[in-house]
Amino acid sequence: MVHESEEALNIIEDMMEEQIISPEDADLKTRAMVSSLQLLRGQVYESRDNRPGAAACYTEAVGTDLTCVEAMTSLTSHQMLSLEEERDLKERCWEPT
């Protein structure tokens, strides 16, 4: 299982390197793809019981694309963030531009 999850992480990392973007310059489709890759990374980390790694990936997924409900659900329903971290994420993602 460890070998397969390591291989999955390598594939995801390679795909993300191809999609390197700055959030301001990306179109919605690219942002959704990067967010989905972050979500997948988080799921792999979570399957390996690496909750801090999973939380970081889920947080990045939500920060990249606010419509990534699955990442937000994982963060909140699995209680991966403290109350303060949840507030910080909310402020960072929903602050007026």
Side-chain angles (χ1 to χ4, degrees):
M1 176 70 169
V2 172
H3 177 68
E4 287 113 0
S5 62
E6 196 64 39
E7 187 176 335
L9 286 173
N10 289 335
I11 291 169
I12 293 168
E13 289 294 327
D14 290 344
M15 292 178 73
M16 288 186 66
E17 286 176 11
E18 294 174 12
Q19 299 296 324
I20 293 177
I21 58 165
S22 68
E24 298 82 30
D25 297 334
D27 62 5
L28 291 176
K29 184 178 178 180
T30 303
R31 291 171 67 107
M33 181 185 305
V34 170
S35 180
S36 295
L37 291 170
Q38 287 287 11
L39 174 66
L40 287 173
R41 275 182 63 201
Q43 291 170 338
V44 172
Y45 282 129
E46 192 172 357
S47 74
R48 298 172 77 181
D49 289 328
N50 182 343
R51 290 174 58 87
C57 292
Y58 293 148
T59 300
E60 283 297 315
V62 172
T64 302
D65 181 7
L66 294 177
T67 64
C68 191
V69 176
E70 200 170 343
M72 182 59 90
T73 300
S74 293
L75 284 169
T76 56
S77 68
H78 299 144
Q79 300 174 344
M80 292 188 176
L81 300 177
S82 67
L83 181 59
E84 185 175 321
E85 290 170 325
E86 283 186 33
R87 285 182 183 150
D88 289 344
L89 178 62
K90 179 185 166 213
E91 288 174 11
R92 185 172 52 130
C93 293
W94 284 278
E95 65 186 15
T97 56

